[in-house]
Amino acid sequence: SEPLRFADFCTRAYDVGGATSLLALHSLFILMVQHGLEYPKFYTSLYNLIESKIFYAKYRTRFFKLLVKCLSGSQMLPAYVVAAFCKKLCRCAVNAPPSGALFVLALVSNLLRKHGECACLIHRGSRKGIDGDEEKMDDPYNADEKDPAKSKAIESCLWELNALENHYHPAVASMAKSCGMEDEKTLYHDLDQFVLHTYKSLFEQERKRGSNKKKSKVPLTFHKPTGLFAEGDIFQGIFDFPRCKGSE
């Protein structure tokens, strides 16, 4: 009858760590939305749960869904909070599996388009010095800072997207190139699809895509080779063998 009496219990359960912290924070979110609980440190607590190891945890799907609810459900979040989450998520996506990286890129893309004041994270780059040469900018972001307001993420840039453009998975590389560069007509990503991605689902998706393509004969060479090395090569003729008359 009085759900708010569990607020202290959930607050203390958050300090346990792991899946317990996630469940406690989810309970606090329900108390805030449905029962009017005031918990100013909610986004700070959620920010501190973002780590590289959580992308490999069994409860990562529940965590991703909580991120979507908390970050995509409101447009009144301060720019420094959105920038801090985008920066830390992209930093973790560099070492995350392809399924986690795709989710991060989709979420960051939606956040950057929804919060236009965070577009500086994409367009801020190298500066030109006195000689006209481009100078590399030091990243002011502090990844070890617990408070997103003091992390200086809004003063940084998402250089992690450039690193993800060279990802071994083609879907991650292509999405990283277009992240934050979409126009107004581009639809928002359906995050419910990216939340459920796994290695198996990505493999099945690529397998179905390959089977739907029409198989065509690809020419391997234009003329029949006469030796192991090309003409003009220094080793030309070393491994050539005389042809038999009946071989042709």
Side-chain angles (χ1 to χ4, degrees), residues 86-115:
C86 291
K87 183 66 177 180
K88 194 168 186 179
L89 286 171
C90 288
R91 181 70 60 89
C92 294
V94 176
N95 299 322
S99 58
L102 288 174
F103 168 76
V104 168
L105 291 173
L107 178 59
V108 170
S109 175
N110 289 354
L111 291 176
L112 291 177
R113 283 182 284 172
K114 185 175 294 185
H115 301 272

Side-chain angles (χ1 to χ4, degrees), residues 109-110 113 182-190:
S109 175
N110 289 354
R113 283 182 284 172
E182 299 88 351
D183 53 11
E184 298 179 355
K185 298 181 180 179
T186 305
L187 298 177
Y188 285 91
H189 295 288
D190 186 6

Side-chain angles (χ1 to χ4, degrees), residues 125-138:
S126 58
R127 301 175 182 176
K128 292 186 178 181
I130 300 177
D131 301 335
D133 299 332
E134 293 185 353
E135 298 179 354
K136 294 182 179 179
M137 183 183 65
D138 295 333

Side-chain angles (χ1 to χ4, degrees), residues 3-22:
L4 294 178
R5 63 182 177 177
F6 294 101
D8 293 337
F9 171 77
C10 296
T11 303
R12 295 181 181 180
Y14 172 80
D15 298 330
V16 175
T20 305
S21 299
L22 176 61

